[in-house]
Amino acid sequence: MLQDKDTTGFHSGGWEEPRATAVLVLQDGTVLEGFGIGAEGEATGEVCFNTAMTGYQEILTDPSYAGQIITFTFPHIGNVGTNDEDIESVNAASSSGVRGVVLAATITEPSNWRASRDLDAWLKARQIVGLTGIDTRALTALIRDKGMPNAVIAHSPKGEFDLAALKAKAAALPSMDGLDLVPLVTSTQRFDWNETTWTVGEGYGQQQAEPRHHVVAIDYGVKRNILRLLARAGCKVTVVPATATADEVLALKPDGVFLSNGPGDPAATGEYAVPVIRKVLEEKIPTFGICLGHQMLSLAVGAKTQKMHQGHHGANHPVKDKTTGKVEITSMNHGFAVDPATLPANATETHVSLFDGSNCGIALTDRPAFSVQYHPEASPGPQDSHYLFDRFVKMMDEGKAKA
């Protein structure tokens, strides 16, 4: 704002710059100043960028983002507000896995008939620290060039920051390599799920018909819509924690086992997850994995995973299904990938990214098991990938027929 005029009629000062109330401090010491939104305080995490134009509430409640700070490349985030239905974490009352959020434009008033709260208030309620008013294109370009950096995001309404301390904290943060973040987001006890998909005017449904199959879903950070699609496909769904033993899974007598999405380094989670999966495969139980579950299945058969330079985060990723030749527009969220060169002879690569050629799916030739790196339940296509749930059901049908 302009300061008061002096007696000559001219302004005695110049423009008064608005004071920054939030900062993003990268591990290399770079400081980006903006204006705070959401919760006050500090949060730490790995900074990634997401290219989705819609679905920000689902993204911010996706347990797979545990330990990360999300930069949205689309400038206008928050214009449809938030509601109580578009939450992906199973425990709606729990804190979000995501640590922080970075936006370009200021959050506007919500303008959607489903909105029950504006995004800023929602971020505060979920204790997510946010920052707006920076050039997210420049930050995205930095991530593309240098990879995903660790950072500290801080929000202080008074604009008071100890930058030296923040830089030291950012520089000392551990790499995502070797981090098992699943314990932060997995369920703590077994439960059943029978909610089905959403329809206009009715909301989410409940399973009515007698389920055809019993699916045990191992929860590494499962998303609600995955469970809904399994229920809609005629499956009785029992969700078990990531720490469930093979004996506990097999005692439920599943017709199929689902391996869910989740955060962190798959090799670290695999220390306790892989032995369970190997036992399931030995029993030749139909198995379907998504995202981290895809990586877990791959590790279980002897493949390796590797950290990606910038990861895949967005709702516009083209993936080719090599078994049909079709191209799907998919939703992705992963910072690690399966190295296709390490796949064993009994694992066939079924899907591949058309952005960078990275592996996006496998199927076993000697066991009824398959998995994909992307999220078929997220519906960016919008239903390009729903056939995978039908493929899983067919596999269970065939398993019962052979039995």
Side-chain angles (χ1 to χ4, degrees):
M1 59 182 292
L2 285 173
Q3 296 180 353
D4 294 337
K5 294 182 179 180
D6 61 19
T7 56
T8 65
F10 292 98
H11 293 282
S12 57
W15 289 97
E16 183 180 321
E17 291 291 337
R19 189 171 188 177
T21 56
V23 292
L24 181 69
V25 181
L26 307 184
Q27 64 188 38
D28 65 358
T30 300
V31 178
L32 303 175
E33 296 183 340
F35 307 102
I37 54 174
E40 298 176 21
E42 299 176 8
T44 61
E46 180 185 70
V47 185
C48 65
F49 63 85
N50 187 296
T51 56
M53 297 173 66
T54 59
Y56 54 80
Q57 187 177 348
E58 292 93 326
I59 292 166
L60 291 169
T61 55
D62 180 353
S64 298
Y65 277 111
Q68 292 185 302
I69 298 169
I70 302 175
T71 299
F72 284 98
T73 60
F74 189 67
H76 302 291
I77 300 296
N79 52 341
V80 297
T82 63
N83 58 67
D84 295 330
E85 294 182 320
D86 293 346
I87 293 174
E88 283 292 359
S89 53
V90 171
N91 185 355
S94 68
S95 61
S96 296
V98 64
R99 301 284 176 82
V101 59
V102 178
L103 310 178
T106 302
I107 297 175
T108 59
E109 290 294 319
S111 58
N112 186 276
W113 64 275
R114 297 177 65 224
S116 59
R117 184 186 291 184
D118 69 79
L119 179 58
D120 185 45
W122 184 86
L123 292 172
K124 286 182 170 68
R126 296 187 71 86
Q127 292 299 299
I128 300 175
V129 180
L131 176 155
T132 186
I134 72 165
D135 187 346
T136 53
R137 296 172 301 176
L139 179 55
T140 298
L142 183 150
I143 295 171
R144 283 176 173 160
D145 290 342
K146 298 184 178 181
M148 297 177 285
N150 286 328
V152 179
I153 186 170
H155 174 195
S156 168
K158 294 182 179 180
E160 298 173 350
F161 304 102
D162 184 342
L163 292 181
L166 293 176
K167 290 179 180 180
K169 180 181 287 190
L173 292 173
S175 167
M176 191 69 78
D177 273 313
L179 290 185
D180 176 23
L181 299 178
V182 168
L184 300 176
V185 295
T186 186
S187 51
T188 57
Q189 59 187 4
R190 190 178 80 198
F191 64 92
D192 295 328
W193 182 276
N194 64 1
E195 184 178 81
T196 58
T197 50
W198 187 90
T199 56
V200 177
E202 297 180 11
Y204 294 110
Q206 295 291 318
Q207 204 170 45
Q208 300 297 326
E210 186 68 23
R212 295 163 52 196
H213 303 294
H214 181 202
V215 172
V216 171
I218 302 180
D219 177 15
Y220 304 122
V222 70
K223 293 171 66 177
R224 285 171 172 251
N225 215 41
I226 290 174
L227 301 178
R228 294 185 188 114
L229 285 171
L230 287 170
R232 190 183 74 170
C235 301
K236 172 188 174 182
V237 182
T238 301
V239 182
V240 299
T243 53
T245 66
D247 288 342
E248 289 171 335
V249 171
L250 297 177
L252 295 170
K253 300 185 184 304
D255 299 312
V257 171
F258 174 76
L259 311 175
S260 87
N261 60 291
D265 185 343
T269 304
E271 292 294 325
Y272 54 88
V274 161
V276 176
I277 298 169
R278 284 178 176 164
K279 183 63 176 177
V280 170
L281 294 176
E282 287 174 7
E283 298 295 324
K284 296 188 177 181
I285 299 172
T287 303
F288 175 30
I290 287 176
C291 195
L292 183 65
H294 162 65
Q295 297 162 356
M296 291 295 100
L297 179 63
S298 300
L299 290 173
V301 297
K304 304 294 183 183
T305 56
Q306 55 192 358
K307 186 81 163 63
M308 302 178 76
H309 179 68
Q310 64 192 37
H312 287 167
H313 309 278
N316 53 356
H317 287 250
V319 168
K320 183 175 181 179
D321 183 343
K322 296 170 72 173
T323 66
T324 64
K326 293 182 179 179
V327 175
E328 306 161 38
I329 300 303
T330 72
S331 177
M332 288 199 182
N333 172 24
H334 63 108
F336 291 80
V338 173
D339 181 357
T342 65
L343 288 172
N346 66 328
T348 301
E349 183 176 64
T350 57
H351 296 75
V352 62
S353 167
L354 295 185
F355 275 160
D356 59 12
S358 60
N359 173 263
C360 288
I362 67 167
L364 303 189
T365 58
D366 58 349
R367 295 288 187 277
F370 71 101
S371 58
V372 292
Q373 182 63 75
Y374 54 96
H375 284 267
E377 85 292 340
S379 307
Q383 297 184 6
D384 289 12
S385 308
H386 284 190
Y387 71 91
L388 292 166
F389 293 91
D390 298 331
R391 185 177 289 180
F392 184 38
V393 169
K394 182 180 179 182
M395 188 175 282
M396 289 186 284
D397 286 336
E398 293 172 347
K400 283 186 174 180
K402 289 180 181 178

